[in-house]
Amino acid sequence: MKTWREMRGFPLAIRLLLINQLGVNTGFYLLIPYLATHLGEDLGMSAAVVGIVLGVRNLSQQGLFIVGGSAADRLGARGVIIAGCATRTVGFALFALGDGLPVLLAASVLSGLAGALFNPAVRAYLAQEAGDRKAEAFALFNVFATTGALVGPLLGSALLLVDFRLSALTAAGIFALLTVAQALVLPAREVPPAAGSVLGDWREVLGNRAFLAFSLAMVGMFTMENQLYLLLPDGARRATGWDGAAGLVFLIGTVANLALQMRVTRALKERGSRARWIGGGLALMGLAFLPPLLTAAGSGGPDGTGAAALRLLPVLAGALLLYVGAMIAQPFVMELIPAFGRAELTGTYFGIFYVVSGIAAAVGNTVVGWAMDAGDHGGATWLPWLCCAGFGLASAAGVAWLHRLRALPATRTPAPVPATA
């Protein structure tokens, strides 16, 4: 109930963007987690071709975030958000209608480009509209995004019982509805004329060494969050011998997010600096990978339902700690990014932040994947968990170091903001 009360206290534009993010994540996770299976099993493509299709989608998104951010600054975030949703509508529809490699590659490029457009634009619009309540706005954003990430796979698995194409068309339909809703409801804002060139904007942001150092320090956060889809579900399945155990990881996170996110953000906002809570959240995210070590250290499968439940508990405890750590850190990270530079470059800062962090996190995920393989082959199944804990603690140390150097913007709220009913 508190989440809904908080939501009603924001302007209509922000409320629409929150619902938009619920729809975006629902549509995305309804389709993308099942795409590789469709390409390999339904269409008979080789693993190499499947990797190319998926890689093109990821590269299109990660590499073009900077374009989406600059477009939001110069053309207005509203138009870029609408264009992004419309582009993903077309991309997901192509996944349903095309079986040939050229069509599938085009669908991958369009769906990746769509994410590159609306992800930085949505965050820039949210930051500009929220004013002094950025932390609360991004906390709500996190709640709706997490809920969509749970609903999407559940809906997708049900639709797959009929056909993959039905899943793809449903996802495309969700994005089409979001496009129309944004065009009708999202207010347009006047965009002041830019003083310099796009390249000049990029040079200004890339020349901000404190911002780049902060972006690199966030590598651990993105790497650890990605383990909600790789290491933790794999740990749950190994602990229980049941594929459905992976869904419990997402369920516990969504419930915790709905119940705690706004309480956590509001309580911490008035106590201490942002850097303190970002560092503390990152450290907690790293420590979240230690409880599953109890399961990883075991050998063999569980002996009965009771044993499986006991082996699952450390994994779920780790997932809960990871979600709580993200609840602490993420809203303040999003609040801090625009404070590094001029308000006119908010979109560019978000775009470059996701380029730098995304590329670096891809390297981090490669390291985790290598640790999983090495652990399996060498009998050291604890290795990837320890590796992720190291990422979290290293990122926390990086933020603490930047704070000690006074390199982070001061965004502490000078006076408490009354709650809005």
Side-chain angles (χ1 to χ4, degrees), residues 174-245:
I174 290 173
F175 279 98
L177 288 174
L178 293 175
T179 303
V180 173
Q182 291 157 1
L184 293 176
V185 180
L186 200 62
R189 296 288 182 262
E190 183 179 352
V191 181
S197 66
V198 172
L199 289 178
D201 292 346
W202 293 356
R203 282 195 295 269
E204 179 178 336
V205 177
L206 291 172
N208 190 329
R209 291 185 293 178
F211 169 71
L212 290 183
F214 179 74
S215 299
L216 289 173
M218 289 301 105
V219 170
M221 184 177 78
F222 284 93
T223 301
M224 290 184 292
E225 284 182 333
N226 285 341
Q227 303 321 306
L228 291 168
Y229 308 101
L230 177 62
L231 186 57
L232 281 162
D234 181 69
R237 285 189 290 264
R238 290 181 184 227
T240 62
W242 175 44
D243 287 342

Side-chain angles (χ1 to χ4, degrees), residues 137-328:
F138 281 112
L140 278 172
F141 192 80
N142 191 30
V143 170
F144 280 82
T146 302
T147 304
L150 174 67
V151 173
L154 293 176
L155 181 57
S157 61
L159 292 173
L160 281 175
L161 297 175
V162 181
D163 184 45
F164 174 83
R165 287 175 173 79
L166 179 60
S167 294
L169 289 174
T170 301
I174 290 173
F175 279 98
L177 288 174
L178 293 175
T179 303
V180 173
Q182 291 157 1
L184 293 176
V185 180
L186 200 62
R189 296 288 182 262
E190 183 179 352
V191 181
S197 66
V198 172
L199 289 178
D201 292 346
W202 293 356
R203 282 195 295 269
E204 179 178 336
V205 177
L206 291 172
N208 190 329
R209 291 185 293 178
F211 169 71
L212 290 183
F214 179 74
S215 299
L216 289 173
M218 289 301 105
V219 170
M221 184 177 78
F222 284 93
T223 301
M224 290 184 292
E225 284 182 333
N226 285 341
Q227 303 321 306
L228 291 168
Y229 308 101
L230 177 62
L231 186 57
L232 281 162
D234 181 69
R237 285 189 290 264
R238 290 181 184 227
T240 62
W242 175 44
D243 287 342
L248 297 177
V249 170
F250 302 108
L251 179 61
I252 193 173
T254 303
V255 172
N257 208 279
L258 286 168
L260 300 175
Q261 177 68 84
M262 294 310 303
R263 289 181 173 87
V264 168
T265 301
R266 197 168 265 287
L268 300 183
K269 181 179 179 180
E270 314 302 341
R271 297 174 174 85
S273 67
R274 300 297 188 260
R276 172 185 174 185
W277 298 122
I278 293 172
L282 290 170
L284 183 59
M285 291 175 75
L287 295 174
F289 291 91
L290 298 183
L293 279 173
L294 299 174
T295 298
S299 60
D303 184 15
T305 304
L310 286 175
R311 285 169 61 93
L312 180 61
L313 284 177
V315 180
L316 294 182
L320 180 59
L321 289 175
L322 184 61
Y323 273 105
V324 172
M327 286 182 220
I328 294 171

Side-chain angles (χ1 to χ4, degrees), residues 220 224 286-287 289-290 383-397:
M224 290 184 292
L287 295 174
F289 291 91
L290 298 183
L383 184 59
W385 304 99
L386 204 59
C387 181
C388 288
F391 274 119
L393 296 177
S395 283

Side-chain angles (χ1 to χ4, degrees), residues 331-347:
F332 298 127
V333 170
M334 295 296 105
E335 181 190 33
L336 203 61
I337 291 168
F340 276 99
R342 295 186 287 126
E344 296 83 2
L345 295 182
T346 296

